[in-house]
Amino acid sequence: MPMPQVPFDDRGLAYGDGVFETVLLRDGTPVLWDYHYARLRQGCQRLNIPLPPLEQLAAAWQSPAAAELEVLKLILTRGSGGRGYALPDALSPRLISRRVPFVANAQHWRQGVNVRICQLRLGHQPLLAGIKHLNRLENVLARQEWDDQTIAEGLLADTDGWLVEATSMNVFWQRNGELFTPELTQCGVAGTLRAALLDQGTVRESAIALDALRDVDRLWVANSVQGVWPVNTLLSETGEVLHAWSQADQDTLQVAGHQLLGYSLSSC
Amino acid sequence: MPMPQVPFDDRGLAYGDGVFETVLLRDGTPVLWDYHYARLRQGCQRLNIPLPPLEQLAAAWQSPAAAELEVLKLILTRGSGGRGYALPDALSPRLISRRVPFVANAQHWRQGVNVRICQLRLGHQPLLAGIKHLNRLENVLARQEWDDQTIAEGLLADTDGWLVEATSMNVFWQRNGELFTPELTQCGVAGTLRAALLDQGTVRESAIALDALRDVDRLWVANSVQGVWPVNTLLSETGEVLHAWSQADQDTLQVAGHQLLGYSLSSC
């Protein structure tokens, strides 16, 4: 299947004027689809882009599965045209998609990962916070801060120093037996696994300053494709070890998260 | 000439990972090219994208001119690939361009325009401030705030209430005979006409709160394609008239700006 293309005047290319979803397919069926659809709908509402009918979206996973696990990426742009930033008179959103086989990193599940704190601070923009829009330069720049393969993710705080997310995952922490994840009202992407964990009451929203992270009982990064990675070591912006956690036997967050995603440690 | 396309995995489309320039061509020759090139170079440095050789950029205006005035749009993306936000091992930036005939709005030059204050506040991101990157959702959302054809532009302030820019132009004001434009260290696009006016000493950088705008002696919006538009009326977010200026005969900013662009009032 040839790779889809978009023309020069597509507003997704010109301005990042659109949204996307990255969906885990298990045997060709999307996992947590209701949450992906809800976020897509919310993104379209915020940007004022008409949401395509569900059947059009579902066509992206109608062909036979190429592997047990695949990642489906959907990009929905506002479509072509308009004079400058003003909207075109006739709007015709453009939906394109691509599926690639996926293998989860079970080693990260079992052994945990090292993460670092990024120097970049996320700017506040409540109108764009939470949705998965195509303006992702902050994430791209943050991800360029390190190329050490032993560091799996980078943690991002906002301009006021509050923890927000990792470059491509959400963040969770445990304190006094309770599980938390940052509120995402000013910036950050509200992941679908995070949404499902909130809905079932496994975690709840709270705020934590970057400086307080070394005092938490446990720390994780997670998303709906990779699953849940416990954090072993937290490194500073300059590479010093700020804290190391020893992994306990019972990982409540990973058990709950992997149940939602259909992952089991033994199956990989 | 067919419209250029980019593939699904182009990072300009996926993340807005790239920069662009909108250049006025007069008889096929770029106007203020040194300033466009300088901003392109600065954008590439900030994003860590290799700048193509000048000859490759110049190929975009080598064909014969289709009109006395044209607008050339150059889009430079980081190219295809990479796992998520991480950079691909082999980088191959993608340069595409398009030329369209252009007619300047001489009525706006002569009669001035109405502008409104936008509700959206620009977030702070010093790493992206000034450059013309492809993450322009804030501008797109701000431009959606009005569809009254008698309003030519919308003024944008940052989250602290400081004036930054208009949705697709820079802003200038006069006070006690001196001309000013906002510093752009936290957000906003540093226009090439603005840069040339700063270089020649016609204007200098200063800061002004949105609330203080009604007290300035004159107000303008300007860019390197449209030229310099004097502001007649400033409207609030809700459409009330905050201030009206009567246009004086001698317009120092427009004279200086249009000399840089080769525009003369009599020629249009």
Side-chain angles (χ1 to χ4, degrees):
Chain A
M1 198 160 146
M3 197 181 291
Q5 310 247 330
V6 305
F8 186 90
D9 67 355
D10 183 273
R11 293 174 61 102
L13 172 65
Y15 309 129
D17 193 1
V19 290
F20 69 111
E21 289 293 329
T22 309
V23 185
L24 182 67
L25 298 185
R26 181 179 299 283
D27 301 318
T29 302
V31 176
L32 295 181
W33 171 250
D34 289 352
Y35 289 95
H36 287 287
Y37 185 63
R39 184 172 60 185
L40 206 52
R41 195 171 52 222
Q42 192 194 13
C44 286
Q45 280 168 354
R46 292 262 200 99
L47 303 186
N48 186 30
I49 294 175
L51 180 69
L54 185 55
E55 309 82 73
Q56 197 184 335
L57 297 167
W61 65 83
Q62 292 310 312
S63 53
E68 185 193 346
L69 292 181
E70 295 166 284
V71 171
L72 168 70
K73 183 168 176 176
L74 295 165
I75 298 180
L76 176 67
T77 77
R78 198 185 302 275
S80 287
R83 290 180 309 107
Y85 298 120
L87 298 195
D89 292 333
L91 262 179
S92 181
R94 181 171 283 120
L95 176 69
I96 54 177
S97 65
R98 198 178 170 212
R99 281 163 75 164
V100 291
F102 176 72
V103 178
N105 191 327
Q107 196 171 324
H108 282 0
W109 296 347
R110 288 194 207 101
Q111 299 177 7
V113 298
N114 304 321
V115 303
R116 67 185 291 283
I117 290 173
C118 292
Q119 286 175 320
L120 180 143
R121 293 286 174 267
L122 296 168
H124 286 184
Q125 184 45 267
L127 298 177
L128 297 174
I131 64 172
K132 205 169 169 80
H133 56 71
L134 295 171
N135 278 201
R136 302 263 70 106
L137 269 177
E138 288 184 317
N139 306 67
V140 170
L141 289 183
R143 187 59 190 80
Q144 285 189 49
E145 289 187 21
W146 81 96
D147 57 5
D148 179 342
Q149 303 261 346
T150 67
I151 298 174
E153 254 292 13
L155 302 187
L156 287 159
D158 69 6
T159 45
D160 293 338
W162 298 102
L163 179 68
V164 178
E165 63 184 2
T167 68
S168 64
M169 303 177 95
N170 286 120
V171 189
F172 303 84
W173 70 94
Q174 182 177 316
R175 213 169 203 173
N176 302 325
E178 276 200 275
L179 297 170
F180 302 98
T181 191
E183 284 189 300
L184 301 172
T185 55
Q186 298 299 317
C187 44
V189 178
T192 52
L193 179 60
R194 174 185 176 278
L197 288 165
L198 283 166
D199 264 6
Q200 67 179 206
T202 303
V203 304
R204 59 190 182 90
E205 291 184 327
S206 184
I208 190 167
L210 264 193
D211 297 342
L213 261 186
R214 63 178 87 187
D215 302 324
V216 304
D217 299 325
R218 300 186 79 168
L219 187 64
W220 297 264
V221 290
N223 69 28
S224 65
V225 171
Q226 298 289 354
V228 180
W229 297 347
V231 173
N232 297 324
T233 312
L234 176 65
L235 302 166
S236 74
E237 294 92 326
T238 51
E240 304 146 61
V241 174
L242 295 175
H243 196 81
W245 290 269
S246 52
Q247 299 307 331
D249 287 343
Q250 176 68 13
D251 188 333
T252 319
L253 188 76
Q254 193 178 69
V255 168
H258 286 195
Q259 190 158 18
L260 286 163
L261 300 176
Y263 283 142
S264 68
L265 284 178
S266 56
S267 75
C268 283
Chain B
M1 196 161 149
M3 197 181 291
Q5 309 249 330
V6 305
F8 187 90
D9 68 354
D10 184 273
R11 294 174 62 103
L13 171 65
Y15 309 130
D17 193 3
V19 291
F20 69 111
E21 290 292 329
T22 309
V23 185
L24 182 66
L25 298 184
R26 181 178 298 282
D27 300 318
T29 301
V31 177
L32 294 179
W33 172 250
D34 289 352
Y35 289 95
H36 287 287
Y37 185 64
R39 184 172 60 186
L40 206 53
R41 196 171 51 219
Q42 192 193 15
C44 286
Q45 280 169 353
R46 292 262 200 100
L47 303 185
N48 187 29
I49 294 175
L51 181 69
L54 185 55
E55 310 82 72
Q56 197 184 336
L57 298 167
W61 64 84
Q62 291 310 312
S63 54
E68 185 193 346
L69 292 180
E70 294 165 285
V71 171
L72 167 70
K73 183 168 177 177
L74 295 164
I75 298 180
L76 176 68
T77 78
R78 197 184 302 275
S80 285
R83 292 180 308 108
Y85 298 121
L87 298 195
D89 291 331
L91 263 179
S92 181
R94 182 170 282 120
L95 176 69
I96 53 176
S97 65
R98 196 175 171 213
R99 281 163 75 164
V100 291
F102 176 71
V103 178
N105 191 326
Q107 197 171 321
H108 282 0
W109 297 346
R110 286 193 208 101
Q111 299 177 8
V113 297
N114 304 322
V115 303
R116 70 186 289 283
I117 290 173
C118 291
Q119 285 174 320
L120 181 143
R121 293 285 175 269
L122 296 169
H124 286 184
Q125 185 44 269
L127 298 178
L128 297 175
I131 64 172
K132 204 169 169 82
H133 56 72
L134 294 171
N135 278 201
R136 302 263 69 107
L137 270 176
E138 288 184 320
N139 306 67
V140 170
L141 288 182
R143 186 58 190 81
Q144 285 190 47
E145 288 187 23
W146 82 97
D147 57 5
D148 179 342
Q149 304 262 343
T150 66
I151 298 175
E153 254 292 13
L155 302 188
L156 287 159
D158 68 8
T159 45
D160 293 337
W162 298 103
L163 179 67
V164 178
E165 62 184 2
T167 68
S168 63
M169 304 178 92
N170 286 119
V171 188
F172 303 84
W173 71 93
Q174 182 177 316
R175 213 168 202 174
N176 302 325
E178 277 200 276
L179 297 171
F180 302 99
T181 190
E183 283 190 301
L184 301 173
T185 55
Q186 297 299 317
C187 45
V189 178
T192 52
L193 179 60
R194 174 185 176 277
L197 289 164
L198 283 167
D199 264 5
Q200 68 177 206
T202 303
V203 305
R204 59 190 182 91
E205 290 182 327
S206 184
I208 190 167
L210 265 192
D211 296 344
L213 261 186
R214 63 179 86 185
D215 302 324
V216 305
D217 299 326
R218 300 186 80 168
L219 187 64
W220 296 264
V221 290
N223 68 28
S224 65
V225 171
Q226 297 289 352
V228 180
W229 296 346
V231 173
N232 296 325
T233 312
L234 176 66
L235 303 165
S236 75
E237 296 91 327
T238 51
E240 305 146 59
V241 175
L242 295 176
H243 196 81
W245 290 268
S246 52
Q247 299 307 330
D249 287 343
Q250 176 67 14
D251 188 333
T252 318
L253 187 77
Q254 193 179 69
V255 168
H258 285 195
Q259 190 158 17
L260 286 163
L261 300 176
Y263 283 142
S264 67
L265 284 176
S266 56
S267 75
C268 282

